[in-house]
Amino acid sequence: MRMCGRSRGSPLLLRLMVEVVIVGAGPIGLFLALLLRRQGLTVSVLETRQGPVFDPRAAIIWPRTAEVLGANGLGPAFAAESGRLEGVVLKVRGAHRGALRLGGLDGPEPLPWVIEQHRTEALLREALDVPVLGRHTVTGVRAEADRVVVQATADAGPVEVEGRWVVACDGAHSAVRKQLGIAFEGRAHEGLECLQVNASCTFREPPPPAACRFDLTPGATLLSMPLPTGGYRFVSFRAVKGEPLTQPTLEQAQAQLSRVAHEPLSLELVGPTWLTRARFQDRVAARLRQGRVLLCGDAAAVWAPIGGRGMNVGLLGAHNLAWRLAAVARGEAGEALLDGYDAEHRATAARIIATLPTNPMEYPSGRLKLALLDLGLLTAMKQTKIPAPIERLLSLYDVAPRGGRLVDWRFAREGERLPDAVLGDGRRVHQVVEPGRWTMLGLGCAPEPRAGVVSRELPLRDHRGRPWLARRPTVVLVRPDGIIASLGAAADRPRLEAALEPARAK
């Protein structure tokens, strides 16, 4: 990082020069900065706030996000502060319908982590080796031939931070996105309202210690999830029509939750305090790249928090962007590689928005739809485990360029997450793949060595003697973010050569 000032007599102007400027120090911006630093890039992080946020906000990290954090060395820190979600209990109109266990996934982190967003942010700050520049409010973005200048105001006066690339992670009301004039396309999510509160509570039928409880009633839902620090995160969605949005009192929150749960609930706030009511927008930026500026996290897309996927998908988006941006910044790939991030992440956001109303556990159902759902649950809840396709969908395993299937999920395809498995020698597949690097796996065959690509030979079968990805010798090229770039027979060289193109120096 270089630093310079203005000549004597001119206004004070501090100028910093780095490879990547990240605007926004929420979890997405911090994780992206951490990944880029580990790729050897110089980074500057600007943030309007002075310090970490203390709003709890997101409270769950799904297994795909957890394995990505773990692969980047953050597993122990998060494990020390996270609870584990092991199952769900379901009630309809106050009647118990059964309980299902989680944990049927193939990855190293088969259970969701329960940890509130302010702690996620704090752990990422602790892992980052560059300071966050707080109290820096962006006032302008100026593109030049080979760099971008971010103009901001700080306590000491005006600041210009110059980078070869800029990534906006500054939220739904992104100042960078507005400065560039990029449209935020979509609409208000009419008719849906969410009440959230952190509180202790005595249930008539409390869920088991490591399980959450869903209560469904016509026009409203309630999720009660135990927090690792004590108490519960209550999330209640309800259908609204023509009502003004007002912030609730504890008594009003208690009344709504009691109505959905069909039992009197007495709430007592627990810290950090989180009592809010909100409505939402479903929007995706018209483009995620404009020249040397990219959008990530809520600056790129927002939607209603059904499924708790907002922060998680943002972290996975940063994971997708980091390896691409590092390769381009080092001159190892052309700028077109960044357009792949734009296409993939916009498609992911659009797919998630489209599926929100199909989640009956959180999206409120009318009387007839709930009655039909209840009939199905009377049969479905006779089993003890959540069906594997549904658990994969919840886990975000299938939030990938061509993921999202509910059938034929046992063997992955190109554009999907590399499955994990325990091999005969006790290693896990994901331990063989090096984070941030291209990896070529030969399953039942020796892969041809390639410059800049890690090569590994693995068995076709796992420790139980079952095929874990393919039934015959196969060469698998894995992107630095753990997504399969190519999968085919060793003799299929054209497919492999095409997939290797981004890994080659330009």
Side-chain angles (χ1 to χ4, degrees), residues 191-203:
L192 182 68
E193 184 176 275
C194 180
L195 168 70
Q196 297 190 65
V197 57
N198 284 0
S200 60
C201 176
T202 301
F203 291 95

Side-chain angles (χ1 to χ4, degrees), residues 129-154:
D129 64 352
V130 296
V132 173
L133 303 179
R135 297 181 66 86
H136 281 62
T137 302
V138 172
T139 58
V141 179
R142 186 177 74 249
E144 298 182 355
D146 59 350
R147 67 198 67 195
V148 181
V149 178
V150 178
Q151 300 164 320
T153 58

Side-chain angles (χ1 to χ4, degrees), residues 461-482:
R461 299 181 179 275
D462 65 14
H463 69 294
R464 296 177 180 175
R466 301 181 303 189
W468 66 271
L469 180 57
R471 294 185 174 91
R472 57 184 61 88
T474 301
V475 174
V476 185
L477 180 65
V478 185
R479 293 184 346 190
D481 59 349

Side-chain angles (χ1 to χ4, degrees), residues 160-345:
E160 286 190 352
V161 184
E162 182 180 287
R164 293 174 58 202
W165 301 91
V166 170
V167 184
C169 303
D170 51 342
H173 303 287
S174 170
V176 174
R177 191 188 63 237
K178 293 176 180 177
Q179 286 282 336
L180 295 177
I182 297 176
F184 210 28
E185 299 173 340
R187 61 178 179 82
H189 202 110
E190 301 289 352
L192 182 68
E193 184 176 275
C194 180
L195 168 70
Q196 297 190 65
V197 57
N198 284 0
S200 60
C201 176
T202 301
F203 291 95
R204 194 159 51 206
E205 296 180 40
C212 66
R213 168 175 153 175
F214 283 103
D215 286 271
L216 310 182
T217 201
T221 63
L222 171 61
L223 163 66
S224 309
M225 184 170 64
L227 295 171
T229 53
Y232 292 85
R233 165 68 61 86
F234 294 99
V235 182
S236 178
F237 290 94
R238 72 182 183 107
V240 294
K241 186 176 182 180
E243 302 175 32
L245 176 65
T246 58
Q247 290 308 304
T249 63
L250 181 59
E251 291 73 22
Q252 290 170 333
Q254 185 172 280
Q256 178 174 332
L257 271 53
S258 296
R259 180 180 67 82
V260 182
H262 287 260
E263 65 175 277
L265 301 179
S266 179
L267 306 182
E268 183 176 339
L269 294 177
V270 296
T273 303
W274 187 237
L275 174 58
T276 184
R277 183 183 283 145
R279 295 176 190 170
F280 308 96
Q281 307 275 326
D282 294 337
R283 297 189 182 276
V284 182
R287 54 190 176 278
L288 305 188
R289 179 191 172 205
Q290 184 161 306
R292 290 179 170 269
V293 182
L294 298 114
L295 309 181
C296 198
D298 285 356
V302 294
W303 52 79
I306 288 174
R309 291 180 286 185
M311 182 189 72
N312 284 261
V313 173
L315 291 169
L316 295 177
H319 191 227
N320 185 351
L321 175 58
W323 70 270
R324 297 171 183 270
L325 187 52
V328 174
R330 292 194 299 255
E332 298 170 357
E335 293 183 14
L337 187 63
L338 298 172
D339 295 330
Y341 161 73
D342 181 304
E344 291 180 6
H345 198 66

Side-chain angles (χ1 to χ4, degrees), residues 346-466:
R346 278 173 44 81
T348 294
R351 186 165 63 245
I352 288 175
I353 290 171
T355 61
L356 293 179
T358 67
N359 181 344
M361 297 299 102
E362 294 184 74
Y363 203 98
S365 300
R367 293 183 181 279
L368 177 58
K369 184 177 178 181
L370 184 60
L372 294 174
L373 174 64
D374 197 15
L375 285 175
L377 289 172
L378 290 172
T379 300
M381 297 300 286
K382 291 179 181 178
Q383 53 190 322
T384 60
K385 295 182 179 180
I386 290 181
I390 294 177
E391 187 168 6
R392 285 181 60 84
L393 193 64
L394 291 172
S395 72
L396 301 182
Y397 273 18
D398 291 328
V399 175
R402 291 193 291 275
R405 296 172 299 160
L406 286 176
V407 295
D408 191 26
W409 48 268
R410 290 173 297 171
F411 294 104
R413 303 176 298 183
E414 292 175 359
E416 297 181 351
R417 163 192 174 269
L418 176 72
D420 196 14
V422 179
L423 303 173
D425 58 6
R427 291 179 300 166
R428 301 196 71 101
V429 173
H430 282 200
Q431 292 175 332
V432 174
V433 177
E434 296 188 27
R437 297 189 63 185
W438 288 86
T439 304
M440 192 181 304
L441 303 177
L443 311 187
C445 61
E448 180 182 343
R450 302 277 181 151
V453 179
V454 177
S455 295
R456 297 282 188 271
E457 183 175 355
L458 298 181
L460 272 171
R461 299 181 179 275
D462 65 14
H463 69 294
R464 296 177 180 175
R466 301 181 303 189

